[in-house]
Amino acid sequence: MWRQTSGVLCQTTTLGICEKLMAKIKMWGRLGDPLGILREKSLHLVHLSKHDVEFRGDYGTIVDLHGHGFSVTGHASAGTVTSAQVFFGSKEVVDVKNADLDATHIAQELKQVGAVALFSVFAAGDDHLVGSAKSELLDGSIGDDVIQGGAGEDLLLGNAGNDTITGGEGNDDFMFHRGFGVDRITDFEDRGSHQDVIETDRDMYLGMEKRQEGDNVVLDFGSGDEIIIEHAQVKDIGRDDLHFT
């Protein structure tokens, strides 16, 4: 059961605990290639009602926004977006549920920046990103996110916020840049044919300290940036697991 508590929409568990409602974002295939969505330099408003807004691009991209209170003021759509879908032709590539987004901001970004804005506008805030069996780029953007890569060989970016990241099956690349916060990797593997890697900036790599805390390994980069690798041993995290750019 969903309810409002101190301005936060939450779900009451069997223990009476309020769990914050997170936007759930599911993606199929790497956004951009091979679909070519990122060629869309701007998206044009083609339909507007109180509950639905549709944008289209010149190369087959369709963005459908659903919510309430939509209206047109100049070049922006006022209101709140609660769900969204992105299509490339007839193929659905992004599905967003449980959102609480400013329609005005989204409309401005899609018109001015185009498909490049899809990551920043949909993944802002505390999100649950879910991949598929294909190889994806899943970018949590700003917020405390839960990121699940699925079965493909994924590129997973937590970015700012304290994120929980699960790569799933496949050889996954966990990428971090300075200022990402304290992120947790739940299923890092480097055995047999399954070889995950952690990739950081060069200065972060050179200043890293590695330590064991209980059943977990902590990679400490200073300035509050830490990666917690669950169910791992320091001796098993070597140079082949850690890369820098």
Side-chain angles (χ1 to χ4, degrees):
M1 177 179 178
W2 296 107
R3 61 188 176 88
Q4 197 83 16
T5 300
S6 300
V8 176
L9 191 62
C10 64
Q11 183 181 41
T12 305
T13 67
T14 55
L15 298 178
I17 300 172
C18 174
E19 290 186 349
K20 185 176 181 181
L21 174 60
M22 305 175 72
K24 185 172 183 179
I25 305 172
K26 183 153 187 174
M27 304 176 67
W28 293 268
R30 188 180 297 277
L31 183 58
D33 293 326
L35 299 175
I37 292 176
L38 296 185
R39 291 185 301 172
E40 306 282 13
K41 301 305 180 184
S42 64
L43 295 169
H44 316 290
L45 179 65
V46 297
H47 169 75
L48 174 66
S49 69
K50 290 183 178 180
H51 303 288
D52 299 282
V53 179
E54 181 178 318
F55 292 87
R56 288 180 180 261
D58 297 328
Y59 295 97
T61 302
I62 302 171
V63 179
D64 289 332
L65 309 177
H66 315 286
H68 53 82
F70 295 150
S71 62
V72 174
T73 305
H75 297 287
S77 299
T80 300
V81 174
T82 56
S83 65
Q85 288 80 42
V86 179
F87 299 87
F88 190 70
S90 61
K91 181 180 179 63
E92 185 178 19
V93 293
V94 181
D95 180 55
V96 183
K97 290 184 173 65
N98 300 341
D100 183 14
L101 304 171
D102 178 14
T104 301
H105 173 67
I106 292 178
Q108 290 173 335
E109 290 293 301
L110 293 180
K111 287 182 177 182
Q112 297 173 10
V113 184
V116 177
L118 291 175
F119 276 131
S120 61
V121 296
F122 289 147
D126 299 341
D127 307 305
H128 184 180
L129 280 73
V130 183
S132 67
K134 297 182 179 181
S135 296
E136 280 118 0
L137 188 159
L138 296 175
D139 183 350
S141 190
I142 299 172
D144 298 338
D145 305 306
V146 176
I147 304 175
Q148 295 178 280
E153 297 184 352
D154 304 307
L155 176 58
L156 307 163
L157 297 88
N159 279 319
N162 300 328
D163 307 307
T164 301
I165 309 174
T166 301
E169 298 297 323
N171 300 324
D172 300 309
D173 188 342
F174 301 87
M175 182 176 288
F176 303 89
H177 300 292
R178 178 64 71 189
F180 66 86
V182 179
D183 287 358
R184 183 178 296 268
I185 300 175
T186 67
D187 66 340
F188 188 84
E189 288 193 50
D190 64 347
R191 300 177 183 178
S193 60
H194 193 157
Q195 180 61 64
D196 295 334
V197 297
I198 294 172
E199 191 170 344
T200 69
D201 299 332
R202 185 174 186 273
D203 68 308
M204 293 171 57
Y205 177 87
L206 295 177
M208 178 188 68
E209 294 184 1
K210 185 168 51 173
R211 65 179 183 270
Q212 190 77 41
E213 288 191 359
D215 293 332
N216 305 326
V217 172
V218 177
L219 306 181
D220 191 339
F221 301 94
S223 301
D225 289 335
E226 293 183 352
I227 300 172
I228 301 171
I229 307 174
E230 294 187 350
H231 312 299
Q233 298 295 315
V234 166
K235 63 180 179 63
D236 296 328
I237 307 297
R239 291 185 177 180
D240 58 330
D241 303 311
L242 306 172
H243 298 180
F244 64 83
T245 56

